[in-house]
Amino acid sequence: MQINKLPIAIIGGGSIGLVAAAHLAKRKIPFILFELGSSVGQNILSWQHIKVFSPWKYNIDKIAEELLLQTNWEIPNKEGLPTGKELVDKYFHPLSQHPQIQPYIHLNTEVVSIGRKGLDKMKTANRENKPFIIKVIENNQTKYYEAKAIIDSSGTWNQPNPIGSGGVFAEGEQEIKNNIFYGIPNIKGDLLNRYKNKNILVVGGGHSAMNVLLDLADIQKKYSNTQINWVLRKKDLSVVYGGKEDDAFEARGALGARLEGLINGKKLNVYTHFHILKLTVNKNGIQIDGELNGENETISNIDEIISNTGSRPNLDMIREVRIDLDASLESVFDLAELIDPNTHSCGTVRPHGEKELRHPEKDFYIVGSKSYGRAPTFLMATGYEQVRSVVAYLDGDFESAKRVELNLPETGVCSSDSVSEGSCC
Ligand SMILES: Cc1cc2nc3c(=O)[nH]c(=O)nc-3n(C[C@H](O)[C@H](O)[C@H](O)COP(=O)(O)OP(=O)(O)OC[C@H]3O[C@@H](n4cnc5c(N)ncnc54)[C@H](O)[C@@H]3O)c2cc1C
């Protein structure tokens, strides 16, 4: 088939992949979307019990809303703060069911590799005229699809960082992985029995860790034998508390303020500037050996570990594509100076589009949280602007691709020392 007649392939049916689909549908450009999970918004559903900090008005893309309004969609209260489940149930799922989108979504389909048909990464001749070839495992079967362009929106959430010091697995970490929850467990819901009256260690210094600590503190009120320990690599807790009442996202600021109250009320043990080196299990539970402010330190008798040390992009599947990534963040190269978490916080990232997201591989784009690599500062609204611009460009609408149409609130809080621990989200 001629390359121009092929669809554009979207990898991942999370928030940004689905909005990319909406923009392609609106422009009547053929597309195909591959989603690893059995539902769209799979990664969001893994933290479905958590309320986001940005209100609906920032979470709904304009074009997606336009399409949804053609159906019997119930518009959420724009000032309200949805949980992860509400985001999927009230927005992403209905969007995925739109008649111009639904037929092109392949669920239970994992993309394992992407390349140019018949050409490895080294070959240049006629490269731009060859279709992309996508190898997938679809409902347990290996299949190949061709596409004229790729929008990789596969996120980073299902590639959590290890808890070991320096970004590598601590000795023993993989052996005891059944005692470690990477992510945000539903502590007050279906996992209550796992955590109530237990001695728990939380690792990480970002908003995910804060949500976990606050949930543990809630169950501690009723189950008073619940003990909470918090290990973080940062030295300075004020960095973790963030902007508090100065944060433009009130709900995000409130997390820091509540956490400070718990620490002042001695509801949890805090180990600041702790580096985990070794994990072992003995008859009393898990023992954590590491360094606290440069001195050897051991934390003992832990029943459960919850890890929130950020996440990293899956680069294996794009090994045969010519991409340009920043050496430290693993973000799209041109984004690094805009998003480096050493100097930017969630709301202060300048909007950007197709131009900044371009790679040496023509018509290949990494968007969404994956475009930020390991930087934790991504907001859905930023991703919507990315795909609006990329889709316009792929449609030959270069004027629209160049325009910046996003206006985010400033947080006024710039943190440093935050790259490794998922400071924002
Ligand atoms: C607790 C929490 C609170 C947050 N609060 C806010 C907020 O208030 N405001 C805000 O703007 N943002 C918030 N965020 C961030 C935001 O939700 C995410 O960054 C955003 O959803 C990322 O979208 P994405 O589409 O890039 O990735 P994801 O939503 O992670 O989607 C990626 C999708 O790709 C699929 N996938 C992965 N690998 C493959 C593969 N190989 N093949 C096929 N499919 C694949 C996954 O299953 C997933 O469905 C929050 C995040 C968390 C964790």
Side-chain angles (χ1 to χ4, degrees), residues 55-74:
W56 275 112
K57 66 181 173 198
Y58 293 113
N59 303 333
I60 300 177
D61 174 72
K62 269 196 242 153
I63 296 298
E65 178 166 5
E66 215 180 293
L67 294 186
L68 283 163
L69 287 172
Q70 297 164 357
T71 67
N72 58 357
W73 182 57
E74 219 176 285

Side-chain angles (χ1 to χ4, degrees), residues 11-17 34-37 41-44 47 50 52-54 59 109-112 153-158 184 208 211 314 317 367-370 378-381 425:
I11 320 300
S15 48
I16 308 309
F34 303 110
E35 165 54 46
L36 170 69
Q42 176 90 353
N43 285 347
I44 297 173
W47 48 269
I50 299 288
V52 300
F53 49 77
S54 60
N59 303 333
T109 305
E110 179 183 8
V111 172
V112 286
S153 52
S154 56
T156 60
W157 185 249
N158 45 3
I184 310 182
S208 297
N211 274 305
N314 173 354
M317 70 164 140
V367 299
S369 49
K370 187 169 182 175
F378 182 76
L379 289 173
M380 286 179 277
C425 315

Side-chain angles (χ1 to χ4, degrees), residues 259-296:
L259 189 63
E260 191 176 12
L262 289 177
I263 290 170
N264 293 341
K266 307 222 175 323
K267 300 286 183 204
L268 48 106
N269 305 317
V270 186
Y271 299 85
T272 46
H273 204 36
F274 191 102
H275 287 261
I276 295 177
L277 299 173
K278 187 174 173 188
L279 304 170
T280 36
V281 178
N282 56 40
K283 63 180 179 359
N284 298 320
I286 308 167
Q287 177 175 313
I288 294 98
D289 292 302
E291 281 181 3
L292 179 66
N293 294 312
E295 303 285 327
N296 290 344

